[in-house]
Amino acid sequence: MNLTEKLFGMHGKVAAITGGARGIGAETARTLASAGAAIAILDVLVSEGRQLVEEIGMAGGKAAFWPLDVTCEDEVQRTFSKLVSQFGRLDVLVNNAGIDGPNLPTHEITLAQWQRVMDVNVNGVFLCTRYAIPHIEAAGGGSIVNLSSMYGIVGGPDVPAYHASKAAVRMMAKTDAMLYAAKNIRANSVHPGYIRTPMLEEAFRQMQRDPEASFGYMATQVPLARIGSPVDVAAGILYLVSPAGSYVTGAELVIDGGYTAR
Ligand code: NAD
């Protein structure tokens, strides 16, 4: 076995990725599958999820799709049981499903809008973690990654519910890191900066802004002077969940082109 395989090989491991049908989640599915893991793609987007399973299979990887809304407790519990029945174990959970919510100042957001963002971005992470932990423990340990954001660390003058939700999952990873270290379960958060995905493209369209002009402006705010791509984030997630990251828990991996280094 060569050194790269020893550090980043995921053969025999099973990874569940919420929101895995597109964007950062889909790229993480491709990346972990090419490292050898079997992938459970969990998402509300059924045709995108099934298409990705086919794509990963064609590339020689192993993946299956389960439709899942991370806010539904029964569905979460059932889905984790089903995927463990099919794949035999669970080693990795990537809590990636997320929504950005309304881009309004705090005093204009309704309670229902605020709660919807918290439901998906915070309660969804709680529920998936809650029902994944016993399976990961049964596998002898493993790891959890919560997708936070650079806006889980620094403030931004927009999407207040989103920023609050991303700060919450950052701290949830640290708490779980401490709670489950003795069971050999690691928990870390990843903090992407501006990444080109359907989430941002749709947000620009909703605001009737030209996506290309908006990405161009955002790039000027980043020291590395470019927008990130999903693979930039997927590579960081692979590091955290693979043997290379085996001494890393409770950590924040910032992948933002230097934005928060100011
Ligand atoms: P995306 O919208 O392209 O993908 C998100 C995925 O989550 C979609 O497939 C969507 O269907 C799924 N999803 C949404 N609600 C769900 C639910 N209730 N149950 C199950 N699945 C659900 O977004 P993305 O940019 O790839 O974001 C992925 C994660 O990364 C999110 O948590 C996001 O907050 C975070 N993030 C993104 C950026 C960025 O710039 N794109 C920056 C920082 C953090």
Side-chain angles (χ1 to χ4, degrees), residues 18-25 42-45 68-71 95-99 116 120-121 147-150 162 166 190-200 202:
T18 69
R22 73 177 197 189
I24 291 168
L42 314 175
D43 205 302
V44 288
L45 296 178
L68 174 68
D69 180 340
V70 294
T71 67
N95 279 313
N96 166 81
I99 56 172
R116 175 69 191 149
V120 178
N121 293 8
L147 265 290
S148 177
S149 164
M150 65 181 177
Y162 178 83
K166 293 296 164 183
V190 167
H191 301 260
Y194 299 134
I195 311 296
R196 183 185 281 263
T197 67
M199 178 188 273
L200 279 186
E202 282 172 11

Side-chain angles (χ1 to χ4, degrees), residues 89 125 152 183 241:
R89 58 190 288 140
V125 170
K183 295 186 191 298
V241 304

